[in-house]
Amino acid sequence: MAGAKETPRQKMISMMYLVLTAILALNVAREVLDSFVIIDKGLQITNNNFDKHNQDLYAQFDLAKSVDPNRITPNWEKAQRVKKEAAALTSFIDNVRTTLISKTEGIEEKIADTTQLINVDGKDNTDVPTHIMIGKNEDGSAGVSRALKDKLNAYRTQLTNYVLPADRKKVEINIDTQDPPKDGENDNWETYNFSERPLAACLTILSKMQNDIKTAESNV
């Protein structure tokens, strides 16, 4: 299957995300936090569009399988595993988002689950997200970020294994968990993304990860 190309709007959102993430090292003004709200909303819309696109691809697989089950079934089964694994990882991140909002705002998770970032008062809170995502160890190994990294790595490996070796250079699976260049205390993926980051940034980063997950799903 061919991968979905990014629209100009999606490219703009990705560029804005990169710019805002780059200035996190500076003092975060309220205006910057409000900008994260805009980016997060844009990523949520893009993710919903990818869901619809991927549902169409799975429907095409179902149709092809009904016409030629002997030839299509093996790849249809692989597609179902991709679908299941992408859904599980996306759901995990949804739960992380809900927990972050719930603990930061001091509200029940069933309420936090439907709370949009624009309605969150503690957008600038860094203590709660750091406690949850990094944990008691400074490298994040005891926090949710390490569990998330492990799941992203496993997902990338699983999807790579579904692609024939000869085709792997043509199929993009952009799930990036590489440690960044040494930069003070932010010396690994976990701390770079989630240590002392305001809630608004953490939620936007998680939305971007879901975008990468769905894009990889579509491409594979």
Side-chain angles (χ1 to χ4, degrees):
M1 295 180 290
K5 294 183 178 179
E6 281 191 329
T7 65
R9 181 176 181 277
Q10 290 168 343
K11 291 180 180 178
M12 180 188 71
I13 290 172
S14 296
M15 181 62 68
M16 291 176 67
Y17 164 84
L18 291 174
V19 170
L20 288 172
T21 303
I23 64 176
L24 276 176
L26 305 176
N27 292 328
V28 181
R30 191 72 190 184
E31 291 78 7
V32 174
L33 295 177
D34 290 340
S35 297
F36 274 109
V37 173
I38 297 172
I39 299 300
D40 186 68
K41 183 177 180 180
L43 287 168
Q44 295 285 346
I45 293 173
T46 301
N47 288 343
N48 289 335
N49 289 338
F50 260 114
D51 283 337
K52 295 175 183 177
H53 173 76
N54 290 344
Q55 287 169 9
D56 289 342
L57 291 178
Y58 290 122
Q60 292 174 32
F61 252 118
D62 290 340
L63 178 61
K65 177 173 173 287
S66 68
V67 173
D68 190 354
N70 290 334
R71 186 171 69 88
I72 300 300
T73 294
N75 280 334
W76 179 89
E77 291 175 344
K78 291 180 182 179
Q80 296 307 302
R81 291 197 291 272
V82 171
K83 181 179 181 180
K84 181 179 180 180
E85 289 154 5
L89 185 50
T90 300
S91 178
F92 176 82
I93 294 177
D94 280 336
N95 291 335
V96 174
R97 287 177 60 93
T98 297
T99 298
L100 287 171
I101 294 173
S102 172
K103 298 300 184 183
T104 301
E105 296 291 274
I107 58 178
E108 296 182 11
E109 290 204 351
K110 63 181 181 181
I111 298 176
D113 185 52
T114 58
T115 300
Q116 298 298 312
L117 178 55
I118 192 172
N119 298 319
V120 172
D121 292 328
K123 297 180 186 68
D124 59 346
N125 189 303
T126 60
D127 292 338
V128 174
T130 299
H131 174 73
I132 293 172
M133 300 305 294
I134 301 301
K136 61 183 179 181
N137 295 342
E138 292 183 359
D139 63 355
S141 58
V144 174
S145 62
R146 178 60 59 86
L148 174 58
K149 180 180 180 180
D150 290 343
K151 289 180 180 294
L152 288 169
N153 285 336
Y155 177 74
R156 182 178 59 237
T157 299
Q158 289 164 341
L159 262 60
T160 300
N161 290 337
Y162 294 139
V163 181
L164 293 174
D167 294 331
R168 288 176 185 171
K169 290 184 178 180
K170 297 182 291 183
V171 179
E172 294 185 359
I173 305 177
N174 292 326
I175 307 294
D176 185 11
T177 56
Q178 292 296 313
D179 293 337
K182 295 294 183 180
D183 179 22
E185 296 179 356
N186 293 326
D187 57 2
N188 68 4
W189 181 89
E190 294 90 327
T191 56
Y192 180 79
N193 283 289
F194 299 108
S195 179
E196 301 300 326
R197 301 306 196 200
L199 177 66
C202 290
L203 296 181
T204 304
I205 289 169
L206 291 173
S207 291
K208 179 61 168 60
M209 290 176 184
Q210 288 181 319
N211 186 272
D212 293 341
I213 291 164
K214 295 174 188 294
T215 303
E217 175 189 12
S218 176
N219 291 343
V220 170

